[in-house]
Amino acid sequence: MKITGDLQLMKKINKYLVLDTIRHHYPISRADISVKTGLNKTTVSSLVTELIESHFVTEIGLGESSGGRKPMMLLFNQQAGYAIGVDLGVNYILAMVADLGGTVVKEKKIDMTDLSVETVTEKLKKCIHSLIKKTPASPYGIIGIGVGVPGLVDDQGNVLSAPNLGWTDVPLQEMLQREFNLPIAIDNEANVGALGEKEFGAGRSVSNMIYLSVGIGIGAGIILNDGLYRGVSGFSGEVGHMTLAQDGPLCGCGSRGCWETFASEKALIHQAKSLQLVDEKIQVVDAIDKINLNTLLSLAKRGHRPVIDLFASTGHWLGVGITNLVNVLNPELIVIGNRMSLASEWIADSIRETLNSQSLSFHRQKMNVVYAQLGMNSSAAGAASIAINRFFSAMKALSD
């Protein structure tokens, strides 16, 4: 019995290995799969046949010959199923349907003002239901849902603390599991943003990077040696609460002088309310409580000097915090994402100047700062990728 069980386990592992190779290297021949995996050609051929029957793989015709017969090339069937990825922001929900290769096929965005758990979760459920109805038919349907949340999330999918939402101890995974009866993955939105940029965006070719989610608050997803660093309790990346000034502004976390009180979207808007926001095409921005990032971006595009200077100041403070991260972690890449990346035109110079003057020169030499290649989709794409990777990992049984 044990021998049979061991053989079945080995077959599952090998099947996952073959599929994973096709996923990441298609179009590819059976012979090349054999070379990359170390499995013999007979085993590869048998497993490929099963994967074709399971709709994960298709044959697309003959490839180039390397001396013998032309090989039949294999393609990963990205449309075998779909995942839903959600970026649950502080004032918006951005959700998408992605195929198994990460290609976005549907997208939906909802703005929010009421951040109560009841209101947000109800809107979240309606948004997901709406996307499910619009998802193309496929052999495996919706294979899972991933959600990125701006706060601390435990390994059971409970949102322990999300100060900018005003949430504490919210069992979000359980709530969504009851609603949809699908595999649900909940994680910190900066973590999933890092995974999105690592898998599909600016970080594909690097092994060590930091993704900075700069929105209402500031969080970081840290990739070390190609994997997400979570820390001993799973709560790494709360860089927005680095103390930059002990007597600085009061932060939502209860401390003073946190990085996000100087360099976040929330801090930017707070400081903008003290400016004389006048523009030749906008007589006066007199509804102070309605000032938002889009307003400030519009004014900056028109050359409004006080707003441009405010963005530059925000860039300086972003540079101060990034300098600390560079000096401590010595990453290859810093990716700036979320809504503040929309202001790259006006913050990039001051970030660079601050880094050049304050970071250690040896740490700077092989380090680049870029803006999210996926734009505002980094976290939603990363959340979808978690659901996709969990779906495929389930094929690789670790025990009977």
Side-chain angles (χ1 to χ4, degrees), residues 155-221:
D155 58 5
Q156 301 300 310
N158 300 305
V159 182
L160 303 180
S161 174
N164 289 318
L165 286 173
W167 288 12
T168 303
D169 295 326
V170 177
L172 187 58
Q173 180 170 309
E174 180 185 332
M175 294 164 72
L176 295 181
Q177 185 76 55
R178 285 200 306 266
E179 181 74 16
F180 296 102
N181 194 30
L182 287 167
I184 307 291
I186 312 292
D187 206 334
N188 172 269
E189 59 89 20
N191 283 344
V192 296
L195 293 172
E197 288 294 325
K198 171 62 179 165
E199 190 152 350
F200 308 118
R204 280 176 288 185
S205 63
V206 302
S207 296
N208 299 283
M209 60 171 272
I210 300 172
Y211 171 82
L212 288 176
S213 174
V214 188
I216 296 298
I218 301 177

Short mmCIF file of all heavy atoms in Angstrom, two decimals, residues 155-221:
data_model
loop_
_atom_site.label_atom_id
_atom_site.label_comp_id
_atom_site.label_asym_id
_atom_site.label_seq_id
_atom_site.Cartn_x
_atom_site.Cartn_y
_atom_site.Cartn_z
N ASP A 155 -2.61 34.68 9.21
CA ASP A 155 -2.61 33.59 8.23
C ASP A 155 -3.97 32.92 8.08
O ASP A 155 -4.13 32.02 7.26
CB ASP A 155 -1.53 32.56 8.57
CG ASP A 155 -1.69 31.96 9.96
OD1 ASP A 155 -2.70 32.28 10.65
OD2 ASP A 155 -0.81 31.20 10.39
N GLN A 156 -4.96 33.36 8.85
CA GLN A 156 -6.32 32.87 8.68
C GLN A 156 -7.19 33.83 7.89
O GLN A 156 -8.38 33.63 7.73
CB GLN A 156 -6.96 32.63 10.06
CG GLN A 156 -6.22 31.63 10.93
CD GLN A 156 -6.14 30.27 10.29
OE1 GLN A 156 -7.15 29.73 9.84
NE2 GLN A 156 -4.96 29.69 10.23
N GLY A 157 -6.56 34.92 7.39
CA GLY A 157 -7.30 35.89 6.60
C GLY A 157 -8.11 36.87 7.41
O GLY A 157 -9.04 37.50 6.89
N ASN A 158 -7.77 37.02 8.71
CA ASN A 158 -8.43 38.03 9.55
C ASN A 158 -7.68 39.34 9.46
O ASN A 158 -6.44 39.37 9.56
CB ASN A 158 -8.45 37.57 11.01
CG ASN A 158 -9.20 36.27 11.20
OD1 ASN A 158 -10.36 36.15 10.81
ND2 ASN A 158 -8.54 35.28 11.79
N VAL A 159 -8.40 40.43 9.25
CA VAL A 159 -7.78 41.76 9.25
C VAL A 159 -7.69 42.21 10.70
O VAL A 159 -8.67 42.62 11.31
CB VAL A 159 -8.62 42.76 8.42
CG1 VAL A 159 -7.92 44.12 8.40
CG2 VAL A 159 -8.83 42.25 7.01
N LEU A 160 -6.48 42.09 11.26
CA LEU A 160 -6.29 42.39 12.68
C LEU A 160 -6.37 43.88 12.95
O LEU A 160 -6.95 44.31 13.95
CB LEU A 160 -4.94 41.84 13.16
CG LEU A 160 -4.72 40.34 12.96
CD1 LEU A 160 -3.35 39.93 13.48
CD2 LEU A 160 -5.82 39.54 13.64
N SER A 161 -5.76 44.66 12.07
CA SER A 161 -5.75 46.11 12.25
C SER A 161 -5.54 46.79 10.91
O SER A 161 -4.58 46.49 10.20
CB SER A 161 -4.63 46.51 13.22
OG SER A 161 -4.52 47.92 13.31
N ALA A 162 -6.44 47.70 10.57
CA ALA A 162 -6.31 48.52 9.36
C ALA A 162 -6.67 49.95 9.75
O ALA A 162 -7.82 50.38 9.57
CB ALA A 162 -7.20 48.01 8.24
N PRO A 163 -5.72 50.70 10.34
CA PRO A 163 -6.02 52.01 10.91
C PRO A 163 -6.66 52.98 9.93
O PRO A 163 -7.56 53.75 10.30
CB PRO A 163 -4.65 52.52 11.37
CG PRO A 163 -3.83 51.29 11.60
CD PRO A 163 -4.31 50.32 10.57
N ASN A 164 -6.21 52.97 8.67
CA ASN A 164 -6.75 53.93 7.70
C ASN A 164 -8.17 53.58 7.24
O ASN A 164 -8.85 54.41 6.64
CB ASN A 164 -5.81 54.07 6.50
CG ASN A 164 -4.53 54.81 6.86
OD1 ASN A 164 -4.57 55.80 7.59
ND2 ASN A 164 -3.40 54.32 6.38
N LEU A 165 -8.59 52.34 7.52
CA LEU A 165 -9.98 51.96 7.29
C LEU A 165 -10.80 52.07 8.57
O LEU A 165 -12.04 52.07 8.52
CB LEU A 165 -10.07 50.51 6.77
CG LEU A 165 -9.66 50.23 5.33
CD1 LEU A 165 -9.65 48.72 5.07
CD2 LEU A 165 -10.58 50.92 4.35
N GLY A 166 -10.10 52.10 9.69
CA GLY A 166 -10.79 52.08 10.98
C GLY A 166 -11.27 50.69 11.37
O GLY A 166 -12.22 50.54 12.13
N TRP A 167 -10.61 49.65 10.83
CA TRP A 167 -11.02 48.27 11.08
C TRP A 167 -10.14 47.60 12.13
O TRP A 167 -8.92 47.80 12.16
CB TRP A 167 -10.92 47.44 9.80
CG TRP A 167 -11.95 47.74 8.76
CD1 TRP A 167 -12.81 48.80 8.71
CD2 TRP A 167 -12.21 46.96 7.59
NE1 TRP A 167 -13.60 48.73 7.59
CE2 TRP A 167 -13.25 47.61 6.87
CE3 TRP A 167 -11.67 45.79 7.07
CZ2 TRP A 167 -13.75 47.13 5.67
CZ3 TRP A 167 -12.17 45.30 5.88
CH2 TRP A 167 -13.20 45.96 5.18
N THR A 168 -10.76 46.74 12.95
CA THR A 168 -10.03 45.91 13.90
C THR A 168 -10.72 44.55 13.96
O THR A 168 -11.96 44.48 14.10
CB THR A 168 -10.03 46.54 15.31
OG1 THR A 168 -9.46 47.85 15.25
CG2 THR A 168 -9.20 45.70 16.28
N ASP A 169 -9.92 43.50 13.87
CA ASP A 169 -10.43 42.12 14.02
C ASP A 169 -11.64 41.83 13.13
O ASP A 169 -12.73 41.48 13.61
CB ASP A 169 -10.78 41.84 15.49
CG ASP A 169 -9.56 41.87 16.39
OD1 ASP A 169 -8.48 41.48 15.92
OD2 ASP A 169 -9.69 42.31 17.55
N VAL A 170 -11.42 41.94 11.83
CA VAL A 170 -12.48 41.65 10.86
C VAL A 170 -12.18 40.32 10.18
O VAL A 170 -11.15 40.18 9.51
CB VAL A 170 -12.58 42.77 9.80
CG1 VAL A 170 -13.65 42.41 8.76
CG2 VAL A 170 -12.90 44.11 10.45
N PRO A 171 -13.04 39.30 10.32
CA PRO A 171 -12.80 37.97 9.74
C PRO A 171 -13.15 37.96 8.23
O PRO A 171 -14.07 37.27 7.80
CB PRO A 171 -13.71 37.06 10.54
CG PRO A 171 -14.86 37.94 10.91
CD PRO A 171 -14.29 39.32 11.12
N LEU A 172 -12.40 38.70 7.44
CA LEU A 172 -12.77 38.93 6.04
C LEU A 172 -12.76 37.65 5.22
O LEU A 172 -13.65 37.43 4.39
CB LEU A 172 -11.82 39.96 5.43
CG LEU A 172 -12.17 40.44 4.01
CD1 LEU A 172 -13.55 41.05 3.98
CD2 LEU A 172 -11.12 41.43 3.51
N GLN A 173 -11.77 36.79 5.44
CA GLN A 173 -11.71 35.56 4.65
C GLN A 173 -12.93 34.69 4.92
O GLN A 173 -13.54 34.15 3.99
CB GLN A 173 -10.43 34.78 4.99
CG GLN A 173 -10.28 33.49 4.21
CD GLN A 173 -8.91 32.86 4.39
OE1 GLN A 173 -7.89 33.52 4.21
NE2 GLN A 173 -8.88 31.59 4.75
N GLU A 174 -13.29 34.56 6.17
CA GLU A 174 -14.46 33.75 6.53
C GLU A 174 -15.73 34.33 5.92
O GLU A 174 -16.60 33.59 5.41
CB GLU A 174 -14.59 33.70 8.05
CG GLU A 174 -15.77 32.89 8.56
CD GLU A 174 -15.91 32.98 10.07
OE1 GLU A 174 -14.88 33.17 10.76
OE2 GLU A 174 -17.05 32.86 10.56
N MET A 175 -15.86 35.66 5.92
CA MET A 175 -17.04 36.32 5.37
C MET A 175 -17.17 36.05 3.86
O MET A 175 -18.26 35.74 3.36
CB MET A 175 -16.97 37.82 5.64
CG MET A 175 -17.05 38.18 7.11
SD MET A 175 -16.51 39.89 7.45
CE MET A 175 -17.87 40.81 6.76
N LEU A 176 -16.05 36.15 3.16
CA LEU A 176 -16.08 35.92 1.72
C LEU A 176 -16.23 34.44 1.39
O LEU A 176 -16.85 34.07 0.39
CB LEU A 176 -14.82 36.49 1.08
CG LEU A 176 -14.66 38.01 1.16
CD1 LEU A 176 -13.37 38.45 0.47
CD2 LEU A 176 -15.85 38.73 0.55
N GLN A 177 -15.66 33.59 2.24
CA GLN A 177 -15.80 32.14 2.03
C GLN A 177 -17.26 31.72 2.10
O GLN A 177 -17.75 30.94 1.27
CB GLN A 177 -14.99 31.40 3.10
CG GLN A 177 -14.95 29.88 2.91
CD GLN A 177 -14.01 29.46 1.81
OE1 GLN A 177 -12.85 29.82 1.84
NE2 GLN A 177 -14.52 28.71 0.86
N ARG A 178 -17.98 32.27 3.07
CA ARG A 178 -19.41 31.95 3.21
C ARG A 178 -20.21 32.45 2.01
O ARG A 178 -21.14 31.81 1.55
CB ARG A 178 -19.97 32.58 4.50
CG ARG A 178 -19.57 31.89 5.77
CD ARG A 178 -20.53 32.25 6.91
NE ARG A 178 -20.64 33.70 7.08
CZ ARG A 178 -19.92 34.40 7.94
NH1 ARG A 178 -19.02 33.79 8.70
NH2 ARG A 178 -20.09 35.71 8.05
N GLU A 179 -19.82 33.61 1.49
CA GLU A 179 -20.57 34.23 0.40
C GLU A 179 -20.36 33.51 -0.93
O GLU A 179 -21.30 33.32 -1.70
CB GLU A 179 -20.16 35.69 0.25
CG GLU A 179 -20.87 36.46 -0.84
CD GLU A 179 -22.30 36.81 -0.48
OE1 GLU A 179 -22.67 36.74 0.72
OE2 GLU A 179 -23.08 37.15 -1.40
N PHE A 180 -19.09 33.09 -1.19
CA PHE A 180 -18.76 32.61 -2.54
C PHE A 180 -18.43 31.12 -2.61
O PHE A 180 -18.39 30.55 -3.70
CB PHE A 180 -17.59 33.42 -3.11
CG PHE A 180 -17.93 34.87 -3.31
CD1 PHE A 180 -17.48 35.83 -2.41
CD2 PHE A 180 -18.71 35.28 -4.38
CE1 PHE A 180 -17.80 37.17 -2.57
CE2 PHE A 180 -19.03 36.62 -4.55
CZ PHE A 180 -18.58 37.56 -3.64
N ASN A 181 -18.13 30.50 -1.47
CA ASN A 181 -17.77 29.09 -1.46
C ASN A 181 -16.66 28.78 -2.46
O ASN A 181 -16.72 27.81 -3.23
CB ASN A 181 -19.00 28.21 -1.75
CG ASN A 181 -18.75 26.75 -1.41
OD1 ASN A 181 -17.97 26.44 -0.51
ND2 ASN A 181 -19.40 25.86 -2.13
N LEU A 182 -15.64 29.63 -2.46
CA LEU A 182 -14.46 29.48 -3.31
C LEU A 182 -13.21 29.64 -2.44
O LEU A 182 -13.29 30.22 -1.35
CB LEU A 182 -14.44 30.55 -4.41
CG LEU A 182 -15.43 30.40 -5.56
CD1 LEU A 182 -15.49 31.71 -6.36
CD2 LEU A 182 -15.01 29.25 -6.47
N PRO A 183 -12.05 29.15 -2.89
CA PRO A 183 -10.81 29.42 -2.14
C PRO A 183 -10.58 30.93 -2.06
O PRO A 183 -10.63 31.64 -3.08
CB PRO A 183 -9.74 28.74 -2.99
CG PRO A 183 -10.46 27.68 -3.76
CD PRO A 183 -11.81 28.26 -4.04
N ILE A 184 -10.33 31.44 -0.86
CA ILE A 184 -10.15 32.87 -0.62
C ILE A 184 -8.76 33.09 -0.02
O ILE A 184 -8.35 32.38 0.89
CB ILE A 184 -11.20 33.44 0.35
CG1 ILE A 184 -12.62 33.10 -0.13
CG2 ILE A 184 -11.01 34.94 0.53
CD1 ILE A 184 -13.07 33.79 -1.38
N ALA A 185 -8.05 34.10 -0.54
CA ALA A 185 -6.75 34.46 0.02
C ALA A 185 -6.77 35.95 0.36
O ALA A 185 -7.05 36.79 -0.50
CB ALA A 185 -5.63 34.17 -0.99
N ILE A 186 -6.47 36.29 1.62
CA ILE A 186 -6.42 37.68 2.07
C ILE A 186 -4.99 37.99 2.49
O ILE A 186 -4.36 37.21 3.20
CB ILE A 186 -7.36 37.94 3.27
CG1 ILE A 186 -8.74 37.35 3.02
CG2 ILE A 186 -7.42 39.43 3.57
CD1 ILE A 186 -9.54 38.03 1.95
N ASP A 187 -4.46 39.10 2.03
CA ASP A 187 -3.09 39.48 2.40
C ASP A 187 -2.99 41.00 2.45
O ASP A 187 -3.89 41.71 1.99
CB ASP A 187 -2.09 38.91 1.38
CG ASP A 187 -0.70 38.68 1.96
OD1 ASP A 187 -0.34 39.38 2.95
OD2 ASP A 187 0.04 37.83 1.44
N ASN A 188 -1.90 41.47 2.99
CA ASN A 188 -1.62 42.90 2.99
C ASN A 188 -1.47 43.41 1.57
O ASN A 188 -0.85 42.75 0.73
CB ASN A 188 -0.34 43.15 3.81
CG ASN A 188 0.13 44.58 3.71
OD1 ASN A 188 0.92 44.92 2.84
ND2 ASN A 188 -0.37 45.42 4.59
N GLU A 189 -2.02 44.59 1.27
CA GLU A 189 -2.04 45.06 -0.12
C GLU A 189 -0.65 45.40 -0.65
O GLU A 189 -0.41 45.27 -1.86
CB GLU A 189 -2.98 46.26 -0.28
CG GLU A 189 -2.67 47.47 0.56
CD GLU A 189 -1.72 48.43 -0.12
OE1 GLU A 189 -1.58 48.37 -1.35
OE2 GLU A 189 -1.10 49.22 0.60
N ALA A 190 0.28 45.79 0.20
CA ALA A 190 1.64 46.04 -0.27
C ALA A 190 2.34 44.73 -0.62
O ALA A 190 3.11 44.64 -1.58
CB ALA A 190 2.45 46.81 0.77
N ASN A 191 2.05 43.67 0.16
CA ASN A 191 2.61 42.35 -0.16
C ASN A 191 2.13 41.87 -1.53
O ASN A 191 2.92 41.39 -2.35
CB ASN A 191 2.21 41.32 0.90
CG ASN A 191 3.01 41.44 2.17
OD1 ASN A 191 4.07 42.07 2.19
ND2 ASN A 191 2.53 40.85 3.25
N VAL A 192 0.82 42.00 -1.77
CA VAL A 192 0.31 41.53 -3.06
C VAL A 192 0.77 42.45 -4.20
O VAL A 192 0.96 42.01 -5.33
CB VAL A 192 -1.22 41.36 -3.06
CG1 VAL A 192 -1.63 40.27 -2.07
CG2 VAL A 192 -1.95 42.65 -2.75
N GLY A 193 0.96 43.75 -3.89
CA GLY A 193 1.52 44.66 -4.89
C GLY A 193 2.91 44.25 -5.29
O GLY A 193 3.27 44.28 -6.48
N ALA A 194 3.71 43.84 -4.30
CA ALA A 194 5.07 43.36 -4.58
C ALA A 194 5.02 42.11 -5.45
O ALA A 194 5.80 41.97 -6.41
CB ALA A 194 5.81 43.07 -3.28
N LEU A 195 4.11 41.20 -5.14
CA LEU A 195 3.98 39.97 -5.93
C LEU A 195 3.52 40.27 -7.35
O LEU A 195 3.98 39.65 -8.31
CB LEU A 195 3.01 39.01 -5.26
CG LEU A 195 3.47 38.43 -3.92
CD1 LEU A 195 2.35 37.64 -3.26
CD2 LEU A 195 4.70 37.55 -4.09
N GLY A 196 2.62 41.25 -7.49
CA GLY A 196 2.17 41.63 -8.82
C GLY A 196 3.29 42.17 -9.68
O GLY A 196 3.47 41.77 -10.84
N GLU A 197 4.10 43.08 -9.11
CA GLU A 197 5.21 43.66 -9.87
C GLU A 197 6.33 42.63 -10.09
O GLU A 197 7.01 42.65 -11.12
CB GLU A 197 5.77 44.88 -9.14
CG GLU A 197 4.86 46.10 -9.21
CD GLU A 197 4.71 46.66 -10.62
OE1 GLU A 197 5.70 46.62 -11.39
OE2 GLU A 197 3.61 47.15 -10.94
N LYS A 198 6.50 41.71 -9.15
CA LYS A 198 7.53 40.67 -9.30
C LYS A 198 7.15 39.68 -10.40
O LYS A 198 7.99 39.28 -11.22
CB LYS A 198 7.71 39.94 -7.97
CG LYS A 198 8.58 38.68 -8.02
CD LYS A 198 10.00 39.00 -8.45
CE LYS A 198 10.86 37.73 -8.47
NZ LYS A 198 12.12 37.94 -9.20
N GLU A 199 5.88 39.31 -10.45
CA GLU A 199 5.46 38.29 -11.41
C GLU A 199 5.15 38.85 -12.79
O GLU A 199 5.45 38.22 -13.80
CB GLU A 199 4.24 37.55 -10.86
CG GLU A 199 3.87 36.32 -11.67
CD GLU A 199 3.18 35.24 -10.86
OE1 GLU A 199 3.14 35.35 -9.63
OE2 GLU A 199 2.68 34.29 -11.47
N PHE A 200 4.56 40.05 -12.83
CA PHE A 200 4.07 40.57 -14.11
C PHE A 200 4.64 41.93 -14.50
O PHE A 200 4.39 42.39 -15.62
CB PHE A 200 2.53 40.70 -14.07
CG PHE A 200 1.80 39.47 -13.63
CD1 PHE A 200 1.01 39.49 -12.49
CD2 PHE A 200 1.90 38.30 -14.35
CE1 PHE A 200 0.33 38.36 -12.08
CE2 PHE A 200 1.22 37.15 -13.95
CZ PHE A 200 0.43 37.18 -12.81
N GLY A 201 5.38 42.59 -13.61
CA GLY A 201 5.75 43.98 -13.86
C GLY A 201 7.23 44.29 -13.80
O GLY A 201 8.07 43.55 -14.32
N ALA A 202 7.56 45.37 -13.08
CA ALA A 202 8.92 45.91 -13.09
C ALA A 202 9.95 45.00 -12.44
O ALA A 202 11.15 45.13 -12.70
CB ALA A 202 8.93 47.28 -12.39
N GLY A 203 9.52 44.07 -11.59
CA GLY A 203 10.46 43.24 -10.84
C GLY A 203 10.72 41.86 -11.40
O GLY A 203 11.33 41.02 -10.74
N ARG A 204 10.30 41.59 -12.62
CA ARG A 204 10.42 40.23 -13.16
C ARG A 204 11.85 39.73 -13.25
O ARG A 204 12.10 38.54 -13.13
CB ARG A 204 9.77 40.17 -14.55
CG ARG A 204 8.25 40.05 -14.51
CD ARG A 204 7.63 40.10 -15.88
NE ARG A 204 7.68 41.44 -16.45
CZ ARG A 204 7.12 41.78 -17.59
NH1 ARG A 204 6.48 40.88 -18.30
NH2 ARG A 204 7.20 43.02 -18.02
N SER A 205 12.80 40.63 -13.44
CA SER A 205 14.18 40.19 -13.64
C SER A 205 15.07 40.36 -12.42
O SER A 205 16.28 40.17 -12.50
CB SER A 205 14.80 40.96 -14.83
OG SER A 205 14.85 42.35 -14.54
N VAL A 206 14.49 40.73 -11.25
CA VAL A 206 15.32 40.95 -10.06
C VAL A 206 14.92 39.98 -8.95
O VAL A 206 13.80 39.47 -8.93
CB VAL A 206 15.21 42.41 -9.55
CG1 VAL A 206 15.62 43.40 -10.63
CG2 VAL A 206 13.81 42.71 -9.05
N SER A 207 15.86 39.73 -8.05
CA SER A 207 15.61 38.80 -6.95
C SER A 207 15.36 39.51 -5.63
O SER A 207 14.79 38.92 -4.70
CB SER A 207 16.81 37.85 -6.78
OG SER A 207 16.97 37.04 -7.92
N ASN A 208 15.81 40.77 -5.51
CA ASN A 208 15.67 41.51 -4.26
C ASN A 208 15.09 42.89 -4.56
O ASN A 208 15.74 43.72 -5.21
CB ASN A 208 17.02 41.65 -3.57
CG ASN A 208 17.63 40.30 -3.21
OD1 ASN A 208 17.23 39.66 -2.25
ND2 ASN A 208 18.59 39.87 -4.01
N MET A 209 13.88 43.13 -4.08
CA MET A 209 13.23 44.40 -4.39
C MET A 209 12.28 44.79 -3.27
O MET A 209 11.88 43.95 -2.44
CB MET A 209 12.45 44.31 -5.71
CG MET A 209 11.35 43.27 -5.71
SD MET A 209 10.25 43.34 -7.16
CE MET A 209 9.01 44.51 -6.57
N ILE A 210 11.94 46.06 -3.24
CA ILE A 210 10.93 46.57 -2.30
C ILE A 210 9.87 47.28 -3.10
O ILE A 210 10.17 48.18 -3.90
CB ILE A 210 11.55 47.54 -1.28
CG1 ILE A 210 12.64 46.84 -0.46
CG2 ILE A 210 10.47 48.09 -0.35
CD1 ILE A 210 13.42 47.79 0.44
N TYR A 211 8.63 46.87 -2.91
CA TYR A 211 7.50 47.56 -3.52
C TYR A 211 6.91 48.47 -2.46
O TYR A 211 6.53 48.03 -1.36
CB TYR A 211 6.44 46.56 -3.99
CG TYR A 211 5.15 47.21 -4.43
CD1 TYR A 211 5.02 47.76 -5.71
CD2 TYR A 211 4.06 47.29 -3.56
CE1 TYR A 211 3.83 48.37 -6.11
CE2 TYR A 211 2.87 47.89 -3.95
CZ TYR A 211 2.77 48.43 -5.22
OH TYR A 211 1.59 49.04 -5.61
N LEU A 212 6.85 49.77 -2.75
CA LEU A 212 6.28 50.74 -1.83
C LEU A 212 4.88 51.13 -2.30
O LEU A 212 4.72 51.67 -3.39
CB LEU A 212 7.15 51.99 -1.75
CG LEU A 212 8.48 51.86 -1.02
CD1 LEU A 212 9.25 53.17 -1.11
CD2 LEU A 212 8.25 51.49 0.45
N SER A 213 3.90 50.84 -1.49
CA SER A 213 2.54 51.25 -1.77
C SER A 213 2.32 52.59 -1.07
O SER A 213 2.18 52.65 0.15
CB SER A 213 1.54 50.21 -1.25
OG SER A 213 0.22 50.68 -1.39
N VAL A 214 2.33 53.66 -1.86
CA VAL A 214 2.20 55.00 -1.29
C VAL A 214 0.84 55.56 -1.67
O VAL A 214 0.63 56.06 -2.78
CB VAL A 214 3.32 55.94 -1.78
CG1 VAL A 214 3.27 57.26 -1.02
CG2 VAL A 214 4.69 55.29 -1.63
N GLY A 215 -0.10 55.41 -0.76
CA GLY A 215 -1.44 55.92 -0.96
C GLY A 215 -1.83 56.74 0.26
O GLY A 215 -1.07 57.59 0.71
N ILE A 216 -3.02 56.48 0.81
CA ILE A 216 -3.42 57.17 2.04
C ILE A 216 -2.40 56.91 3.14
O ILE A 216 -2.08 57.78 3.92
CB ILE A 216 -4.82 56.70 2.48
CG1 ILE A 216 -5.86 57.09 1.43
CG2 ILE A 216 -5.20 57.30 3.83
CD1 ILE A 216 -6.01 58.58 1.20
N GLY A 217 -1.87 55.70 3.19
CA GLY A 217 -0.75 55.36 4.06
C GLY A 217 0.42 54.89 3.23
O GLY A 217 0.43 55.02 2.00
N ILE A 218 1.44 54.32 3.88
CA ILE A 218 2.60 53.78 3.18
C ILE A 218 2.88 52.38 3.73
O ILE A 218 3.01 52.18 4.95
CB ILE A 218 3.86 54.65 3.38
CG1 ILE A 218 3.61 56.07 2.88
CG2 ILE A 218 5.05 54.03 2.63
CD1 ILE A 218 4.79 57.01 3.10
N GLY A 219 2.96 51.41 2.84
CA GLY A 219 3.33 50.05 3.21
C GLY A 219 4.36 49.52 2.24
O GLY A 219 4.57 50.10 1.16
N ALA A 220 4.99 48.43 2.59
CA ALA A 220 6.01 47.84 1.71
C ALA A 220 5.82 46.35 1.61
O ALA A 220 5.50 45.67 2.59
CB ALA A 220 7.41 48.15 2.23
N GLY A 221 6.03 45.84 0.41
CA GLY A 221 6.17 44.41 0.18
C GLY A 221 7.62 44.16 -0.14
O GLY A 221 8.18 44.79 -1.04
#
